[in-house]
Amino acid sequence: MAEWFREYWTYALGFVGVCIFALFIFRAAAKAYSAHKKSYKAEEAYITRLKALKEKYVPLTKKTIENAPDGELLEGAALGIQIFLQKQEDMEAEFLLLPEAKKLIYTLDVFVSDKTLDSFFRNNTEILKSRLVPALSLIGLEAQAERVAPVAKMFDDKDEETSLNEKKLTELDKELENEGFLSFIKLSAAKYIKDNAEVFVDRG
């Protein structure tokens, strides 16, 4: 055996190399499959949730609003608005025709979905970015609106004096996360929608 290795050591090393490469490929494939499966399950769960929300909140009635859990009413109300807009030829034009309260509630739902100020202001157009501060004020979160206002100025295309401060943005996002900001928005928005149900009820 020792003599074989002395004579064919290059083949032995090659075999070991092939084995290591195969193991690497197998692990990479397994990792990719796991990630794909996780992504698929998350997407499937998201679609299932949207379907359940649609069945429950579209069309939106006064009774549905009254009986809705506070934690999901914002999403349910915004989903109805989203479905309506998607049926229109010009979504932006139709959005601008909505009652202001509906525009602001929709904006809040987009923010909650994006989860952070950083994500919201980077991924949305001015039509929504300009409405986040007023939306927070609408549902009674005046103190939070004041804290968010400087960030809105950082991302305002018309504001040439305020520059983007990444550090402050990151710090504020962390502070708001620790304060349960998203949950607070959901609950405050639900109260506003219930108190102003006539604005949000679908007229058919």
Side-chain angles (χ1 to χ4, degrees):
M1 182 66 74
E3 184 178 344
W4 185 90
F5 273 108
R6 279 196 298 272
E7 188 173 350
Y8 299 105
W9 64 272
T10 55
Y11 294 104
L13 288 178
F15 177 73
V16 171
V18 169
C19 289
I20 292 174
F21 180 72
L23 180 60
F24 173 78
I25 293 297
F26 175 77
R27 286 183 174 177
K31 186 176 181 181
Y33 173 75
S34 178
H36 172 74
K37 188 175 181 181
K38 184 177 181 180
S39 175
Y40 176 80
K41 284 188 175 180
E43 186 175 335
E44 185 179 38
Y46 176 70
I47 292 173
T48 300
R49 173 170 174 74
L50 283 183
K51 182 179 179 182
L53 285 172
K54 182 180 178 182
E55 291 176 353
K56 184 174 182 179
Y57 291 100
V58 182
L60 192 60
T61 66
K62 187 173 182 180
K63 184 176 181 180
T64 301
I65 292 174
E66 291 174 351
N67 297 329
D70 290 345
E72 71 175 30
L73 181 54
L74 171 62
E75 188 177 8
L79 179 60
I81 297 172
Q82 177 66 36
I83 291 174
F84 165 76
L85 292 174
Q86 287 178 338
K87 294 178 180 178
Q88 312 306 312
E89 290 186 12
D90 189 335
M91 290 178 60
E92 185 171 312
E94 289 297 332
F95 178 83
L96 293 174
L97 293 175
L98 293 173
E100 192 62 23
K102 278 193 171 184
K103 295 180 208 171
L104 299 182
I105 286 297
Y106 181 83
T107 299
L108 288 173
D109 181 66
V110 173
F111 172 69
V112 170
S113 178
D114 286 341
K115 293 183 171 54
T116 65
L117 293 170
D118 192 344
S119 179
F120 175 82
F121 281 106
R122 291 187 194 278
N123 296 328
N124 293 288
T125 60
E126 191 64 25
I127 197 172
L128 292 180
K129 291 190 295 184
S130 63
R131 285 180 166 79
L132 182 58
V133 172
L136 293 171
S137 296
L138 177 77
I139 61 174
L141 302 185
E142 294 288 354
Q144 290 83 352
E146 290 181 10
R147 293 165 68 188
V148 171
V151 176
K153 290 185 68 176
M154 290 181 196
F155 287 92
D156 186 349
D157 297 333
K158 298 177 183 178
D159 191 327
E160 299 179 356
E161 298 180 1
T162 307
S163 58
L164 178 61
N165 188 319
E166 298 279 2
K167 183 179 179 181
K168 286 187 177 180
L169 178 58
T170 300
E171 289 176 350
L172 181 55
D173 265 333
K174 194 64 179 177
E175 289 173 10
L176 293 174
E177 180 185 0
N178 292 337
E179 294 169 11
F181 189 41
L182 299 183
S183 295
F184 203 25
I185 288 175
K186 290 180 183 180
L187 297 179
S188 299
K191 183 179 185 307
Y192 180 85
I193 294 170
K194 289 184 176 182
D195 289 345
N196 300 273
E198 67 281 356
V199 176
F200 299 94
V201 168
D202 289 330
R203 303 300 177 183

